[in-house]
Amino acid sequence: MSYRNHYKPKRGNGRRDNYGYQERYQQKTRFERYLSPYQVKQGIAEGTLHSGVFVQTTHKNSNYVRCSGFENDIYIDVRHTNRAFHRDKVVVEVFKRSRWKIMGYNQTHRKNEEYFTTQKKILMAKVTKELIELGSKDKIISIIDGKIKEGEIDEKDREKFIKRAFESERRSIVAKRMRAVRQKGAISKKDKSDNELRPIGKVVAIIESQKTKHFIVTPQVIDPKGRNNNYKKKYLQRKDKETEKESDEERETTGSNSDEDSEENEKLMDEKNQKEEERILKKKNYLFALSGNDFIPNFLIFKNTLPEETPEGGWSNYNILVQFERWDVNSEYPYASFIKIVGKINDLESETQKILVSYKIDRDEQFPQECLDELPQFFEISTDKKNEKVNENENKDENLNKKFKLDPKEIKKRKDMRGMRVISIDPETAKDLDDALHVKVLDENRIEVGVHIADVSYFVRPLSKIDKEARKRSTTVYLVDRAIPMLPRLLSERLCSLNLFEDKYAYSVIWVFKKNSKGEYIIENTWFGRTIISLNANLSYQQAQDMIDHKMDNYKIMPIDELLKERTENQRINPEKLLQNKYSLKMKNAKIDQVVNDISILNKIALYLRNQRYENGAISINKAKLNIKYNRDTHDIDISEKDRLQSMKLIEEFMLLANISVAKKILKAYPNNAFLRMHPEPDPEKLNSFVQTVENHFNFQIDTSSVKSLAQSILNLEQSVSPILFQALHSLEFFQKRAQYFCTGDTTIKSHRHYALNVDCYTHFTSPIRRYPDIIVHRLLTAVLSGLKLEENETVEQELLSLNLIPDLTSQKIISKHCNDKKFMQQKVYEENALLYLYKYLEDKNIETIGIVTHFSKTGLKIFLPAYKTDGFFINYLDMDNLVGVEYSTDKITLVWSKEKPDTKIMEEINKRIKREKDLEIERQIENENGLKTQTGNNSSENEMERESEKNSKELLKKRLVNSEFKNPNDLIQTDSENTKKIIKKEKLKLKNLEKNNYRKEKKQILYYKADDLEEIFNHKTAKLDFVILSEFPVILWITKDKLKKKKLAIIPNLIDIEKQLEN
């Protein structure tokens, strides 16, 4: 039977799916089939299976599952992920304890391997001497000479066979001895406790999948699996060479090098790619697509769901929206069906949509109509328009100008504070104002300060359509050019927003501060309650800062007519208008002097509160951020550093105080149902790493004995080092963990403390327009103020549910986890979106700036760019021009440049010299060891093998040769002629492959030599630069494209300074 017929599938052994493709069961499956629900239930009950959350990391070989029954996370190899997506709830089967990994194994394993390699070199030298003394080499020579006389071996290959036979014998003895060395030096798992070991397991079932139905991917016509991967590289290289030749020929004929020519070349290349893709697609049943995200797998898109016509330039130039269909056990990638083309790759909008989908963020700013239908009850609507539906998208301006009506019954329940002078301080482009302040001097020593927050919980009723939608979104997602709101704009910008000329519902926290003889502001009394306020002044941060600095000469109050006109105009921000209104204050029923006096009093109290926080041990490391502004009309991008004004710190202090005060209030009333925010203690390893880095590079001692001492040390460090270097510390492995929401009834949370603020409890109360947890806290505070009391062990669930104020304990746990995930995703979305605009800004520019080394290895440098407040960029040594050598050590790395590239013959001589030096070092080690043995003798069981070699008797060596598992030189040569020919052929093939591999390695690897040696070779015409952690050096930035046409930031050292050194 032929090979083809033997593996040909029989009829009836396959089935066709919905898309017409046949599954062959005879094929070996890549993944295991999932266990049945019954098997899962039985396994969990018996304790053989465990459930947990699957976490996909950026390094695909470091995936893990968090299970409650294990002290450490369960490691899942990439082969055993079994089609699980990131954050899926999975069932895991844990392997035997003998297969578990030792925590911190990689570092100890690396040290052991270094020890083993040196031991092997020493053994090789010892065995060589022993074999020569035994006369093994003479025997091999006589046997091979006999084979030459018989004509089995050519005389030319005599030395080669002698060398190889001797080498094989030496290696067989060394290998056997090394087994004993490795067994003695192996890390034992028996002595380790469970918390020192990391379990290893495999995914056997998925309980709850977190994957979405839709993904945005970038198609690549050529499948990268297996042998096609090499074909893909060759295809791309061939295409690049063809285009380069064609462009060179065109330049020679036309003599032009304009942008128009390059655009034409790109069009021609796209046309060729399109034809090539169409040709390849005819032979395939699917289209391969890259996700471009470490947490999402690549996809195979069914060909019959694609449009008949290939888009202009080919599929590889577009991002497309696909729908997940299935993931077969025999497929490396999941299958999906095509929905639509999102846009071209590297297009800002298209790439932004891709980021949003990859992090499961709702891309649509529009809200369901059923949510909007709940809003008309809060507006004054004429009788002829009562049945009219609110459509936020069609009549945006008209809806935003609807008049809000106050409920007379609600007015009686609230404290009327419309007579107070209430001030808001926000960014100049803010449209949803959710916080405001008031200050009132009661007497010489007593001052009343109030924080007023938009009462969103009044409009967002529990279990309503809007509540469910807000819970799903959890947070407002901020992008560079827009924001995707958590609430409909009718709520966030109209009903809830604390706008001028409008009476609004608020939730207020009011303190009475008493000033003592020492100048301290002590809180005498705190009041919580629902209020009605009317905003008197709407200031920007810069305007409030000018009031603090007493720079009010150019300011005037904006006329009421202009204020009313601005409020009724379209809500879109006009940059030119912002400049015109820079010195125009938005005020009503207030004078400039009064507002300036209020800001001055608030600032004094805020400064005292801030100093008190730091004295009490709060840690505050203000990471510098980049401010990116994008003009949609002109498509201009402006980049600057975000200002950190005192007016911002003023607002921050009172918001922190309000959050802490509310947290104490609800925790005291409901110790088992409070919704708080905690910040865990830092990772000890990362903290120690941070401390050592600071001590090594700044000669500065960090005290970690307490939170207060650590906070003071970091504050002193910030004052003693330059701002740029202090910013670069953030790009190192920073020690602080992420804060998270939690419910106090959750027994898995061990501590309620907020580490960074160094307070016992903390929550979020001050931004309910953009954070859903704040709405829950508002509802809890409402329950407290309603007078609902509980016993110590009583739960609040049923009584609060009857009041429709908060969800039960189980739901709160789910909500807190969902809010933590969404907050993290929102941060990642903004970071990646900001990088898109940074790349667009740097496009077609060669920018010279400063880079700071944050990490180095044998392959490259990792740097931080202070000018753009970004880190994590990697410089590969291979990308550096005229780099001739690298000298690597744990403390520093030295890069050596030369005007001329090195001659290969000279490099070979250096290699030989380095090899000779290493051999001499090994011989010295052997001599030292032998000398020590004669003086001290052997005292431990570890020297059994060395005692054996010290006897140096022929009988023992003969026994080892006979008992060796490997072939003896005598056995190797004393064989029939056919076997000898096979051996010769194999040896020749091995030699050829070895030469090829060495050639490839020389092409790819960097040459690691001593800098002094290189200076001698190049007659001192070299320049060298030393790099240590946090060292600064000049770099050049520009935007380039990879093979898949994706933009990336290219960074190389600025060689101007190096060239100067070379000239000198």
Side-chain angles (χ1 to χ4, degrees), residues 365-380:
E365 295 181 39
Q366 302 175 5
F367 282 75
Q369 187 61 43
E370 57 187 8
C371 294
L372 302 177
D373 290 342
E374 295 178 350
L375 299 180
Q377 59 178 313
F378 303 113
F379 290 105
E380 287 184 3

mmCIF file of all heavy atoms in Angstrom, residues 365-380:
data_model
loop_
_atom_site.group_PDB
_atom_site.id
_atom_site.type_symbol
_atom_site.label_atom_id
_atom_site.label_comp_id
_atom_site.label_asym_id
_atom_site.label_seq_id
_atom_site.Cartn_x
_atom_site.Cartn_y
_atom_site.Cartn_z
ATOM 1 N N GLU A 365 -20.934 55.155 21.338
ATOM 2 C CA GLU A 365 -21.295 56.203 22.281
ATOM 3 C C GLU A 365 -22.805 56.312 22.438
ATOM 4 O O GLU A 365 -23.303 56.910 23.387
ATOM 5 C CB GLU A 365 -20.719 57.551 21.815
ATOM 6 C CG GLU A 365 -19.192 57.583 21.815
ATOM 7 C CD GLU A 365 -18.649 58.923 21.382
ATOM 8 O OE1 GLU A 365 -19.252 59.949 21.776
ATOM 9 O OE2 GLU A 365 -17.649 58.965 20.649
ATOM 10 N N GLN A 366 -23.554 55.747 21.509
ATOM 11 C CA GLN A 366 -25.012 55.794 21.567
ATOM 12 C C GLN A 366 -25.535 54.791 22.587
ATOM 13 O O GLN A 366 -24.970 53.723 22.762
ATOM 14 C CB GLN A 366 -25.601 55.493 20.193
ATOM 15 C CG GLN A 366 -25.129 56.447 19.105
ATOM 16 C CD GLN A 366 -25.642 56.043 17.744
ATOM 17 O OE1 GLN A 366 -26.423 55.107 17.617
ATOM 18 N NE2 GLN A 366 -25.220 56.755 16.717
ATOM 19 N N PHE A 367 -26.624 55.154 23.245
ATOM 20 C CA PHE A 367 -27.254 54.302 24.236
ATOM 21 C C PHE A 367 -28.550 53.717 23.681
ATOM 22 O O PHE A 367 -29.201 54.316 22.816
ATOM 23 C CB PHE A 367 -27.547 55.094 25.509
ATOM 24 C CG PHE A 367 -26.335 55.303 26.374
ATOM 25 C CD1 PHE A 367 -25.361 56.229 26.023
ATOM 26 C CD2 PHE A 367 -26.158 54.565 27.524
ATOM 27 C CE1 PHE A 367 -24.241 56.416 26.802
ATOM 28 C CE2 PHE A 367 -25.040 54.741 28.323
ATOM 29 C CZ PHE A 367 -24.084 55.659 27.964
ATOM 30 N N PRO A 368 -28.961 52.539 24.175
ATOM 31 C CA PRO A 368 -30.217 51.943 23.709
ATOM 32 C C PRO A 368 -31.393 52.890 23.953
ATOM 33 O O PRO A 368 -31.423 53.631 24.947
ATOM 34 C CB PRO A 368 -30.341 50.667 24.553
ATOM 35 C CG PRO A 368 -28.954 50.374 25.023
ATOM 36 C CD PRO A 368 -28.268 51.675 25.146
ATOM 37 N N GLN A 369 -32.354 52.838 23.069
ATOM 38 C CA GLN A 369 -33.519 53.719 23.171
ATOM 39 C C GLN A 369 -34.289 53.489 24.468
ATOM 40 O O GLN A 369 -34.832 54.422 25.064
ATOM 41 C CB GLN A 369 -34.448 53.494 21.962
ATOM 42 C CG GLN A 369 -35.608 54.478 21.865
ATOM 43 C CD GLN A 369 -35.149 55.916 21.722
ATOM 44 O OE1 GLN A 369 -34.232 56.204 20.969
ATOM 45 N NE2 GLN A 369 -35.776 56.818 22.457
ATOM 46 N N GLU A 370 -34.317 52.234 24.950
ATOM 47 C CA GLU A 370 -35.044 51.923 26.184
ATOM 48 C C GLU A 370 -34.446 52.658 27.385
ATOM 49 O O GLU A 370 -35.164 52.976 28.346
ATOM 50 C CB GLU A 370 -35.049 50.411 26.433
ATOM 51 C CG GLU A 370 -33.677 49.794 26.515
ATOM 52 C CD GLU A 370 -33.699 48.279 26.597
ATOM 53 O OE1 GLU A 370 -34.774 47.684 26.440
ATOM 54 O OE2 GLU A 370 -32.604 47.704 26.816
ATOM 55 N N CYS A 371 -33.131 52.964 27.343
ATOM 56 C CA CYS A 371 -32.507 53.758 28.413
ATOM 57 C C CYS A 371 -32.957 55.218 28.331
ATOM 58 O O CYS A 371 -33.280 55.842 29.350
ATOM 59 C CB CYS A 371 -30.987 53.683 28.324
ATOM 60 S SG CYS A 371 -30.297 52.063 28.651
ATOM 61 N N LEU A 372 -32.973 55.738 27.130
ATOM 62 C CA LEU A 372 -33.347 57.150 26.934
ATOM 63 C C LEU A 372 -34.814 57.392 27.240
ATOM 64 O O LEU A 372 -35.201 58.503 27.622
ATOM 65 C CB LEU A 372 -33.028 57.570 25.502
ATOM 66 C CG LEU A 372 -31.562 57.415 25.059
ATOM 67 C CD1 LEU A 372 -31.406 57.798 23.601
ATOM 68 C CD2 LEU A 372 -30.641 58.254 25.917
ATOM 69 N N ASP A 373 -35.637 56.358 27.093
ATOM 70 C CA ASP A 373 -37.075 56.515 27.361
ATOM 71 C C ASP A 373 -37.365 56.746 28.839
ATOM 72 O O ASP A 373 -38.469 57.167 29.193
ATOM 73 C CB ASP A 373 -37.838 55.271 26.883
ATOM 74 C CG ASP A 373 -37.875 55.175 25.370
ATOM 75 O OD1 ASP A 373 -37.631 56.203 24.708
ATOM 76 O OD2 ASP A 373 -38.126 54.075 24.839
ATOM 77 N N GLU A 374 -36.400 56.478 29.723
ATOM 78 C CA GLU A 374 -36.601 56.695 31.159
ATOM 79 C C GLU A 374 -36.320 58.138 31.580
ATOM 80 O O GLU A 374 -36.573 58.505 32.722
ATOM 81 C CB GLU A 374 -35.689 55.759 31.961
ATOM 82 C CG GLU A 374 -36.017 54.289 31.796
ATOM 83 C CD GLU A 374 -35.075 53.383 32.569
ATOM 84 O OE1 GLU A 374 -34.048 53.882 33.078
ATOM 85 O OE2 GLU A 374 -35.379 52.183 32.650
ATOM 86 N N LEU A 375 -35.807 58.981 30.657
ATOM 87 C CA LEU A 375 -35.363 60.325 31.023
ATOM 88 C C LEU A 375 -36.437 61.419 30.962
ATOM 89 O O LEU A 375 -36.338 62.375 31.733
ATOM 90 C CB LEU A 375 -34.173 60.736 30.140
ATOM 91 C CG LEU A 375 -32.926 59.853 30.258
ATOM 92 C CD1 LEU A 375 -31.841 60.371 29.335
ATOM 93 C CD2 LEU A 375 -32.422 59.796 31.679
ATOM 94 N N PRO A 376 -37.447 61.369 30.055
ATOM 95 C CA PRO A 376 -38.386 62.495 29.956
ATOM 96 C C PRO A 376 -39.091 62.869 31.252
ATOM 97 O O PRO A 376 -39.517 64.008 31.418
ATOM 98 C CB PRO A 376 -39.402 61.999 28.914
ATOM 99 C CG PRO A 376 -38.649 61.030 28.082
ATOM 100 C CD PRO A 376 -37.713 60.370 29.026
ATOM 101 N N GLN A 377 -39.218 61.949 32.225
ATOM 102 C CA GLN A 377 -39.908 62.261 33.482
ATOM 103 C C GLN A 377 -39.206 63.358 34.264
ATOM 104 O O GLN A 377 -39.810 64.000 35.122
ATOM 105 C CB GLN A 377 -39.999 60.991 34.332
ATOM 106 C CG GLN A 377 -38.638 60.389 34.664
ATOM 107 C CD GLN A 377 -38.724 59.175 35.547
ATOM 108 O OE1 GLN A 377 -39.434 59.190 36.539
ATOM 109 N NE2 GLN A 377 -38.003 58.111 35.174
ATOM 110 N N PHE A 378 -37.911 63.598 33.975
ATOM 111 C CA PHE A 378 -37.157 64.604 34.718
ATOM 112 C C PHE A 378 -37.164 65.977 34.024
ATOM 113 O O PHE A 378 -36.590 66.920 34.542
ATOM 114 C CB PHE A 378 -35.708 64.151 34.903
ATOM 115 C CG PHE A 378 -35.576 62.833 35.595
ATOM 116 C CD1 PHE A 378 -35.088 61.725 34.929
ATOM 117 C CD2 PHE A 378 -35.956 62.695 36.926
ATOM 118 C CE1 PHE A 378 -34.959 60.507 35.575
ATOM 119 C CE2 PHE A 378 -35.837 61.481 37.579
ATOM 120 C CZ PHE A 378 -35.345 60.382 36.895
ATOM 121 N N PHE A 379 -37.778 66.085 32.848
ATOM 122 C CA PHE A 379 -37.804 67.350 32.108
ATOM 123 C C PHE A 379 -39.194 67.956 32.141
ATOM 124 O O PHE A 379 -40.199 67.252 32.312
ATOM 125 C CB PHE A 379 -37.393 67.129 30.646
ATOM 126 C CG PHE A 379 -35.945 66.783 30.468
ATOM 127 C CD1 PHE A 379 -35.563 65.483 30.168
ATOM 128 C CD2 PHE A 379 -34.968 67.745 30.600
ATOM 129 C CE1 PHE A 379 -34.235 65.151 30.006
ATOM 130 C CE2 PHE A 379 -33.636 67.425 30.443
ATOM 131 C CZ PHE A 379 -33.264 66.132 30.140
ATOM 132 N N GLU A 380 -39.251 69.268 31.945
ATOM 133 C CA GLU A 380 -40.528 69.952 31.749
ATOM 134 C C GLU A 380 -40.901 69.815 30.274
ATOM 135 O O GLU A 380 -40.262 70.410 29.408
ATOM 136 C CB GLU A 380 -40.411 71.434 32.126
ATOM 137 C CG GLU A 380 -40.322 71.671 33.620
ATOM 138 C CD GLU A 380 -40.295 73.160 33.937
ATOM 139 O OE1 GLU A 380 -40.401 73.961 32.994
ATOM 140 O OE2 GLU A 380 -40.160 73.504 35.127
#
